[in-house]
Amino acid sequence: MYKLDNFKQKWFYISEVLIILGFSFAFFMKNSVYIRKYILIFDSVKMSWEVFLFFISVLFSYFIGYFFTRKIVFVFKVGFGNYKKTRVILLYYFFSFLSFLGFVHNLSATNLGLLFVNPRLYEHLFGRNVIFNYLYFLNVPALIIYIFAKKHLGINIKGSFVINLFLLFESFFHGIKFTISDTFIQPFLFLNLLEKSKNKKRMLFWNILFFLTFFVILLLFFVSVRGGVWGIINYYISNFYNFSYYIENNKLVFSLPLRLLVPREFFRYINFNKFESVGSTGFILNLKYNTYTAFLNLYNIFWYVGPLLFIPFLMILISSLEKIRNNMFYCFLLDIMLYCSIYMFFSWQFTKFKYIYYIILLFFADYISRDKKG
């Protein structure tokens, strides 16, 4: 598949590897002592022919996607006008200040010691004020704007080194692994997308160094809060067992495609029960891991055809966005699509409200920072 991959950046390939290895490990390790002790606590998983058939559907979807990325290109309307350096700098400072404001408020609302004693309670107290929590999340857009200013526009922003260190550092205080991942990986992907160097060995070296560093940081987080190395492994492979168990033990009731478009955070406020499948979800196999990969939504709506419809579309979208390099918004949209693709092994992230929030913000940031007369 690596040789078939015609993307300029090989980030989508990471998604494929994580999904194929996850299904493969789940098939071959289902009867191991470790899996039965830490993941399959309440019940067993057969990894039956239904699961294998879905896995084959996923594999075929990649080949179909690579074929159509050579045939189909989506055309996007690119914004006009030159970027005004002063506006870009002001937006960076503005988002950084608001993120700092949100961080200070959230931290004052909880006790830092709870992060190590009762992480769930700490997370709840830290982020219970929605407005200030989403101000806190502005650290990622601030970093994105800085990278675009530095790499694409050649702007040196005063004080950015200290500000960026803080924007990265504050992500550890949320107590949620995805906040750390968002803050480190999304800007790093964005940086790679803007990289103009033709020295592939140099880029590969820095990519490997970054992910090794990120893994060490993630490991330290898991050791302190989430159970060490095995906690990382459990978070990875448990999703495939949860998904398999769901297929094998729940009656299929098709949901409407609207479920793919509405952020899951809105389900608690709006009655979408008639769109839901009957199958039960949550902490079914144990009391720690309750995610089902991104394929649960596709299975509930399109059955085994789900991957064959969605993944080729996603690959065409990514391939088309790769052709736009001088636009902050489209480059970030590509960043988000790749990032959510990488986490397909974990859960459906494409309509996560936080990322929609980021996309809307970057759209307006891109629009505001342009001189329409230029």
Side-chain angles (χ1 to χ4, degrees):
M1 281 190 179
Y2 185 83
K3 292 183 178 180
L4 289 174
D5 191 333
N6 61 333
F7 296 139
K8 294 178 182 178
Q9 303 280 352
K10 299 295 183 180
W11 294 112
F12 189 80
Y13 182 73
I14 296 176
S15 170
E16 297 173 350
V17 170
L18 289 172
I19 290 168
I20 292 171
L21 286 181
F23 272 114
S24 300
F25 286 151
F27 276 115
F28 292 111
M29 295 175 62
K30 63 177 181 177
N31 294 321
S32 68
V33 175
Y34 177 84
I35 295 298
R36 284 188 275 115
K37 182 178 180 180
Y38 292 102
I39 296 179
L40 305 180
I41 297 175
F42 300 148
D43 207 345
S44 61
V45 173
K46 300 174 184 177
M47 300 301 294
S48 59
W49 66 268
E50 296 103 324
V51 180
F52 183 74
L53 181 60
F54 193 90
F55 177 54
I56 296 299
S57 176
V58 172
L59 291 179
F60 268 106
S61 70
Y62 291 133
F63 289 107
I64 294 171
Y66 284 127
F67 173 79
F68 280 110
T69 53
R70 291 171 168 83
K71 305 291 183 181
I72 301 174
V73 176
F74 296 145
V75 178
F76 297 93
K77 182 179 179 181
V78 180
F80 63 92
N82 298 322
Y83 289 97
K84 296 286 288 184
K85 293 184 178 181
T86 52
R87 295 181 188 178
V88 173
I89 294 172
L90 286 174
L91 281 170
Y92 167 73
Y93 284 139
F94 181 61
F95 282 173
S96 299
F97 172 75
L98 290 180
S99 180
F100 172 75
L101 190 66
F103 168 72
V104 171
H105 176 275
N106 286 357
L107 193 62
S108 65
T110 185
N111 185 331
L112 189 58
L114 287 174
L115 178 61
F116 306 97
V117 179
N118 191 337
R120 295 292 184 187
L121 177 59
Y122 175 87
E123 294 167 12
H124 171 72
L125 294 175
F126 186 92
R128 62 181 171 179
N129 188 305
V130 176
I131 294 176
F132 280 96
N133 206 37
Y134 275 84
L135 290 180
Y136 166 68
F137 289 153
L138 288 174
N139 62 334
V140 172
L143 289 167
I144 294 296
I145 291 172
Y146 167 78
I147 292 169
F148 189 80
K150 180 72 174 178
K151 298 295 292 185
H152 185 71
L153 302 177
I155 303 174
N156 292 316
I157 303 177
K158 292 182 180 180
S160 58
F161 179 76
V162 174
I163 294 173
N164 291 341
L165 282 180
F166 174 78
L167 293 174
L168 293 170
F169 180 70
E170 67 175 353
S171 66
F172 293 96
F173 289 86
H174 196 190
I176 295 178
K177 56 191 176 298
F178 259 101
T179 303
I180 300 172
S181 177
D182 294 346
T183 305
F184 280 81
I185 296 183
Q186 286 184 18
F188 183 76
L189 281 174
F190 191 80
L191 178 64
N192 267 257
L193 295 175
L194 292 178
E195 181 59 56
K196 299 176 182 178
S197 173
K198 295 182 180 180
N199 190 334
K200 293 184 178 181
K201 290 184 178 180
R202 180 174 174 271
M203 289 181 63
L204 180 63
F205 168 77
W206 285 110
N207 288 346
I208 293 173
L209 181 62
F210 168 80
F211 278 105
L212 286 175
T213 305
F214 178 74
F215 179 78
V216 171
I217 292 172
L218 196 64
L219 179 60
L220 291 174
F221 175 79
F222 268 84
V223 168
S224 303
V225 181
R226 298 289 189 182
V229 178
W230 292 111
I232 297 177
I233 295 174
N234 292 347
Y235 264 103
Y236 172 53
I237 200 169
S238 62
N239 314 302
F240 297 93
Y241 286 119
N242 288 338
F243 175 70
S244 303
Y245 187 86
Y246 181 94
I247 290 181
E248 294 168 356
N249 293 277
N250 289 309
K251 179 182 179 181
L252 178 65
V253 178
F254 289 107
S255 302
L256 293 180
L258 183 64
R259 181 173 170 79
L260 292 180
L261 304 176
V262 177
R264 64 174 183 256
E265 291 87 351
F266 287 0
F267 287 177
R268 72 182 69 176
Y269 305 113
I270 304 173
N271 183 12
F272 284 108
N273 290 335
K274 61 181 179 180
F275 301 144
E276 299 292 313
S277 61
V278 173
S280 57
T281 56
F283 298 96
I284 293 178
L285 295 175
N286 52 66
L287 293 175
K288 290 185 177 181
Y289 312 108
N290 65 336
T291 51
Y292 291 74
T293 76
F295 297 114
L296 180 61
N297 280 356
L298 297 176
Y299 176 79
N300 278 336
I301 297 170
F302 301 112
W303 203 35
Y304 293 97
V305 185
L308 299 172
L309 296 175
F310 176 74
I311 290 180
F313 169 80
L314 175 64
M315 294 172 71
I316 295 169
L317 176 61
I318 290 173
S319 178
S320 302
L321 287 170
E322 275 195 331
K323 295 174 171 54
I324 307 172
R325 292 291 177 167
N326 59 348
N327 185 289
M328 180 167 63
F329 169 70
Y330 284 121
C331 196
F332 180 70
L333 184 60
L334 172 59
D335 181 351
I336 287 291
M337 291 299 104
L338 288 171
Y339 182 75
C340 293
S341 299
I342 290 173
Y343 275 107
M344 285 184 71
F345 78 90
F346 186 74
S347 64
W348 181 266
Q349 298 291 318
F350 293 96
T351 53
K352 189 173 184 178
F353 184 75
K354 181 181 178 182
Y355 303 153
I356 296 174
Y357 167 66
Y358 283 165
I359 291 171
I360 294 172
L361 280 176
L362 264 298
F363 173 81
F364 284 106
D366 183 88
Y367 181 82
I368 292 169
S369 60
R370 290 177 182 271
D371 181 6
K372 306 304 180 296
K373 298 179 182 179

